[in-house]
Structure formats: structure tokens, C-alpha cells
Amino acid sequence: MATEFSVREIPFSRAGAWFGLSPVVGLARYAQDVHVVSHRNGMHAVLSLVPSRPTEVVADPAALTWRSGESRIRAVFSSADTLRISGNGLGMRIAAAERTLTPFTGTYFFTEPSGDAVFTSYETGHRFRVTVLSGQSEHVGAEALATADRAVVLGEEPWEVVIEELTTARAPFSSDIGFDGAVDAARDEFGRFVDAVSPSAPAAELACYVIWSATVAPAGFVTRPAVLMSKHWMDKVWSWDHCFNALALASGAPELAWDQFQVVFDHQDAQGALPDSITHSEVLRNFVKPPIHGWTLSRLRLLLGGVPDPELAYRQLSAWTSFWLDHRRAPGRSLPYYEHGNDSGWDNSTVFLEQRLVESADLAAFLVLQMKELAVLAAEVGDAAPWGERADAMLAAMLDELWDGSRFVSRGVVSGELRATASLLDLMPVVLGEHLPREVFDQLCAGIAEHLTSVGPATELPSSQHYEADGYWRGPVWAPATVLIEDGLRRGGAVELADLVSARFRATCEKSGFAENFDALTGQGLRDRAYTWTASAYLLLSGGDNAAAAGTSAPTP
């Protein structure tokens, strides 16, 4: 495969692995050299990989290459926990990234009686065993304590090593295939993934790599194969991000897609709430995320040809919806509220600028769709709960209380004050599509057109006094908002505007990659530069499934 990428933008890894190769070693921290970076117990640079001379570093989905003239070092994941590295004409120093060892931090280094070198990492709780398969090597700092260099040093004559991530012990490394065979096998495995999930689009293969390489095997609190948001510093599964990855995988990898939908529901609490996020070593519950799961399940139903386990999905979705109805509505109020911008997924949106506890129309809209999907599930499982009537009541309350005749506003729960903003969040009820009255839908379309730049829908109007080019949810273009808006527009019959939203966002990805978000005026990729929901949004918007699943129903007259 011809796709090449910079490891400063996208980590080199593979499906199932909990570590990768990258110079990104922390939150927006870039080292000079490529490191082995683990995502167990957080993000930790464990080993530095330093060639003996300055090199250019390039990667494709199968191999990472350091090159200097005709000299080469190449690395390949031969399995999820095994990295093979081969050099010819270039040496390499494989060293503990942190020189200081304390009783609780750092990496201890020793040589086994077999001759293998072992770096055992306090931060990750795992070992990285280095076996020299060929060539000359030297061990530096074995068994050293306190501050010291700890390294395996390889000369410039041809050599090959294997680095294995393990817990306590493992049989000596052996393989039936050589290094080139391992590269071919990795290329073939990724190729099968691309063939299964990729639409025909200019950047589809790279989007597939971002998703495939960010997938981890079950471990810790991650109970099933899961696509992390990134193998940079955004190395978690947040409880709405996973929905977009599930949708992108549904047509070609249905079991993996269902795992993505279920992975956060595995941690649903007794009140029905989903966690804010999960990762290897933690489940965070200080916030939640917006209830887009009914919308997602309705899309998965079409893409998968049905819901794999309707009774399970009904219990989960009922509990999640009841959390909002029972625990997030003020006494006597019809509409639910967010406690903080983080609950909405739009952390610092100007909707939350003056007050944090807010009744907003986007939340009501998501719950309307969720209850409509629950009505479908209830019929399938034989439950008589009146979800359809509840959906209609919430839609009526949203229109009565938060539509001022020309726009949606939000209400402060404590003050009762109604407030209009220049945030795209106030336009997100367009996701209701055909369920909205025509005049409301048309006004929302006009507002979205005003937010639409050459890059995509800006999350804050560029003319707003609060607009910031790199302001997180106060300006930049984001994938989830784009997908939800495009779907609502299309279902509501605004097909030309939906096509324009889709085309501009896809063009931005093709130019600037799959960043966490994009400058709304220049298209520059911002923040984490290898974000899976952005890649998934690109695949969704590039495929025929989006329009086919959404249909083109007209809004309510």
C-alpha cells in the first residue's frame, strides 16, 4: 500500500496493541526521537529509539522506516504485543526513556541469564523484553539504580531485534517467518480491514489506518476490543465518541461495530448513567455525555439489518433515558438539563458561558430521538411503555419553552433566564430532521448555512465576540457536530445543504488529515492529530450508507 504518513501526526501501531511508536510522548509534548509509547495506566513513553545517525522517518500501515542515504532501519508489528526492528547500515540505541529510577517510577533494566534484555516499567506495570535475533549488541546500565543510562546498543552491521510487551514471563521468541514476511503479513491484515470497511474516497485508506491502529485488545476496564479516540494523549473511549466509530465500522465489521456501541454500556451504573469515559485503568463518572445513543442505534439498525440483541439494547437505552428523566430534570420542569458543558460534549461552548446548569434544546432533541427508538424497541420486545408519547411530549415542551419564534434558546436552571448565543449548539435540534415543524426546520437550516465556512460548520459564528480560532468548542469545526447536522439536514429534506456540509468537511480531512478539530477559517488541524471519530466521520460521509440510511423525509408541515 502506498499510503505514507508522518509519525508526528499519526502513531505507528496496529489493531490490538496497547503501545505504538511515536515522538508524541505526552499532552502536546513532542520528543526529538521516536519512542515506544504505552497506553496502559495512562500515556507513558517507555523506551526511546535513537538511530546512530540523523535520519528521515516515514511510515506506512505495515512498516516504520528510519533512513539515511542507502541505510535503513525498519520496524513492524508482527503481533499486537511484538515489535520487530531490523537495521542495515544504521545502529540504534534502545534506551529507557526516563533515566531516573525510584521505588515507584521509572524503568528497571536487567539482563536475563538467557542474554535477553528486560525493561520493566513501573508506570505501565508491564515489561518490554528485547531479544537480539542477529547482529552485535551491548547492554548499558544493567541492574543500575537511581539515575543512569539503561540501554541496548546495536551497531551498524546488519541486525534484528524483537521487543515484546509481557507481564512476568514468556517462552523465548520464535517465528516461522522472517522480517519481510512479517511486513507482508501486517500489510495483508490491514488490507483486509480496508477492503471490509472503506468506501471509495481519496483519504479512506488513511482514515482506516487511524481507526485500525487505535484499536486495542480487551484489558483492564476495557472489556472488549475497543477503538480509542487516539493513541496520542486522547487515549480513552468517551461516551459519545464511540458511537461514530461504531457507525463507521457497521457495514464492514459488524461485530467490532457492536463492540464499540456496547463498550461503555458495560459500565452503566445503577441509575442508568453512562460513564464520562473509560480507558485501561480508570472509569470516570464526574460527568456524562449527551444521549445520542438512540440516534446511533436507529442508524445501526439500518446498517446492520437489525439490532443484534434487542432486549439488551432496550434495557440499556431505557435505563440511560430514565437517568435523564428521573435525575436531570428540576422539580416541576419538563426538560432535562446539563450540569456543565462537559456533559454536552461541547465542554466550553458559549451556551455555558454564564451558567453551567442549563436546559438546552440539543439535549431535548437527542432524548426525543432516543425515546422514538425506544418505542421501536418496545414493540420488538413486547413492552407497553409509552415511549412514543413521551417523545412527543418532550418535543412539544422543547418547542414551547425554548423556541422563541426564530431560534432556540437555552434556560439557566437556577436563574430561569433564557439566553441566545452564537454557538452552533443552539442549532443542533436540526438532528430531529423530519420530526420538526417546517418553519422551525427552515430557520435552523438558515442558521447552519450562516455557520458553514469553507471548512465545515463552525461551532461559534466567526463574527461572534467569543470566537477563537483554536478555541475548542468556540469556533473550530468538529466531526460529531458535522455528522449529526448532515444527518438531520438530509432526513429533513435539505439535501443540497447536507451535501455541501459533507463535501466541505471531507475536503478538509483530505487536506489536513484527521485532527481532533479544525480551524474553521483555514482548515488547519488542531489539538490531537490522529482522532478516530474524525476518521470515522470521514468514512461515514464518504460512503453511500449515510444518505441511504437517513432517507430524505420532509419535516412536519
Side-chain angles (χ1 to χ4, degrees), residues 370-441:
Q370 191 144 294
M371 289 188 283
K372 286 184 177 294
E373 176 59 21
L374 277 168
V376 176
L377 284 168
E380 290 183 8
V381 303
D383 188 88
W387 290 111
E389 291 86 344
R390 293 170 184 169
D392 292 341
M394 183 161 289
L395 176 58
M398 181 189 78
L399 292 168
D400 180 57
E401 298 181 30
L402 297 182
W403 180 254
D404 72 359
S406 62
R407 64 192 303 169
F408 279 110
V409 296
S410 57
R411 175 186 281 110
V413 174
V414 177
S415 70
E417 177 186 351
L418 295 173
R419 181 168 175 266
T421 74
S423 174
L424 186 66
L425 189 60
D426 285 339
L427 298 170
M428 291 308 296
V430 76
V431 74
L432 286 165
E434 72 274 21
H435 304 297
L436 288 169
R438 167 58 70 179
E439 66 275 12
V440 174
F441 182 79

Side-chain angles (χ1 to χ4, degrees), residues 30-194:
Y30 292 77
Q32 181 176 349
D33 297 298
V34 172
H35 284 63
V36 171
V37 180
S38 173
H39 297 277
R40 297 186 191 270
N41 300 322
M43 181 184 184
H44 303 288
V46 180
L47 304 174
S48 62
L49 306 177
V50 183
S52 57
R53 298 195 306 274
T55 60
E56 176 188 15
V57 183
V58 295
D60 64 40
L64 182 147
T65 303
W66 293 261
R67 57 194 183 201
S68 175
E70 298 299 314
S71 301
R72 296 285 187 274
I73 298 173
R74 291 197 299 161
V76 60
F77 278 88
S78 58
S79 69
D81 60 9
T82 303
L83 180 74
R84 294 174 70 166
I85 309 178
S86 174
N88 189 352
L90 281 170
M92 175 168 276
R93 183 182 183 89
I94 302 171
E98 174 55 59
R99 296 185 68 246
T100 299
L101 178 67
T102 78
F104 304 103
T105 63
T107 300
Y108 175 57
F109 175 58
F110 63 94
T111 302
E112 290 186 326
S114 65
D116 290 344
V118 177
F119 295 88
T120 181
S121 163
Y122 277 97
E123 284 77 8
T124 71
H126 280 63
R127 301 163 182 241
F128 290 83
R129 184 175 70 183
V130 181
T131 301
V132 178
L133 301 181
S134 63
Q136 299 298 311
S137 65
E138 175 189 2
H139 295 186
V140 176
E143 301 182 45
L145 302 178
T147 300
D149 291 328
R150 301 170 177 86
V152 175
V153 182
L154 298 140
E156 297 191 348
E157 295 302 315
W159 55 269
E160 183 180 348
V161 302
V162 59
I163 302 176
E164 298 170 278
E165 180 196 40
L166 54 110
T167 51
T168 54
R170 179 180 296 178
F173 174 80
S174 64
S175 178
D176 295 332
I177 60 175
F179 186 91
D180 289 340
V183 173
D184 291 340
R187 182 172 288 113
D188 289 345
E189 182 172 340
F190 175 64
R192 288 190 294 272
F193 180 81
V194 172

Side-chain angles (χ1 to χ4, degrees), residues 183-213:
V183 173
D184 291 340
R187 182 172 288 113
D188 289 345
E189 182 172 340
F190 175 64
R192 288 190 294 272
F193 180 81
V194 172
D195 291 343
V197 306
S198 176
S200 177
E205 185 178 286
L206 190 58
C208 286
Y209 181 75
V210 169
I211 297 166
W212 181 78
S213 65

Side-chain angles (χ1 to χ4, degrees), residues 309-324:
D309 190 338
E311 291 189 359
L312 174 64
Y314 182 64
R315 290 196 303 271
Q316 293 169 332
L317 210 60
S318 296
W320 179 218
T321 306
S322 295
F323 163 78
W324 290 97

